Amino acid sequence: MRKTIIAGNWKMYKNISEAIELSNGLKRELFKLDFESTEVVLCPPFTALAEVAEVLSESDIGLGGQDMYWAEEGAFTGEISANMLKDAGCQYVIIGHSERRQFFAESNETVNKKIKAAIKCELTPIVCVGENLQEREQNKTFNVIEDHIKQALVDIDAQQMQKIVVAYEPVWAIGTGKTATPEQAQEVHKYIRDLLKKMYGEDVAQGVRIQYGGSVKPENILELMAKPDVDGALVGGASLKIDAFAAIVIKSSEVRK
Ligand code: 13P
């Protein structure tokens, strides 16, 4: 059985004091959660990582960065390495988010380099894939997903694959209030798992967690989680509010498959 994983991507929201307040609130609300069956990860902006790590130090809630650069160190103004994320207290890192692909020239090739650097540093990569509206309307969803997955995973072996979390985030559902239907999500999640099976075999494919992301809310999490290949969520907007994110986590933790 795959362990549910719910992550909050705070994007470019929350200053340090707001981040402390939000993480403290979540720690309080999730105090009784069964962390054996549900993994929870907060991904604040870089500037708040160290403070949120401090808040989470005596809890089972994990911490992640929203991006990283693949080099270990060097003259790369504005960038942050995997080691720096670890040093700030992270165990996870989001890689290849569609906003990075759309606004900051992230490519499948850079995603691949970042995944390798993250794994080398023992960070768990949360690798984002997903089609935009035009691609969906032109029936290219599976082609885009296949490209994203295959190219992101070039030279990643089966052992490394077991450490990776995949997030399916249809771009047209991000921040739009338009969630994919549970059936649409399941269809793509299954496609991803079948592809991983071809690449890595049944055992690895069955073990990889695939999160859904795109307008996840307390109101729709149960129907998404009810689908067999949906193993969690990557939450944007609703992760910025204590009540909403705690409700998403608690509801997910109650789904038994
Ligand atoms: P929303 O939940 O705000 O649609 O954002 C999803 C997302 O991009 C998470 O990474």
Side-chain angles (χ1 to χ4, degrees), residues 9 11 97 169 173-175 214-216 234-237:
N9 174 9
K11 307 193 179 182
H97 190 279
E169 297 208 309
I174 296 178
S215 300
V216 171
L234 182 54
V235 187

Side-chain angles (χ1 to χ4, degrees), residues 173-236:
I174 296 178
T176 57
K178 245 196 212 175
T179 322
T181 63
E183 290 70 31
Q184 284 172 321
Q186 169 59 25
E187 186 183 34
V188 179
H189 283 227
K190 181 167 186 323
Y191 178 82
I192 294 171
R193 202 174 305 286
D194 288 345
L195 190 57
L196 293 175
K197 186 173 153 183
K198 279 187 217 149
M199 297 166 69
Y200 296 101
E202 176 76 16
D203 283 359
V204 173
Q206 285 305 327
V208 172
R209 275 98 50 88
I210 307 174
Q211 298 177 307
Y212 168 79
S215 300
V216 171
K217 305 183 233 5
E219 295 76 27
N220 59 25
I221 186 67
L222 278 178
E223 56 187 27
L224 288 160
M225 283 298 298
K227 293 297 178 190
D229 288 294
V230 177
D231 307 313
L234 182 54
V235 187

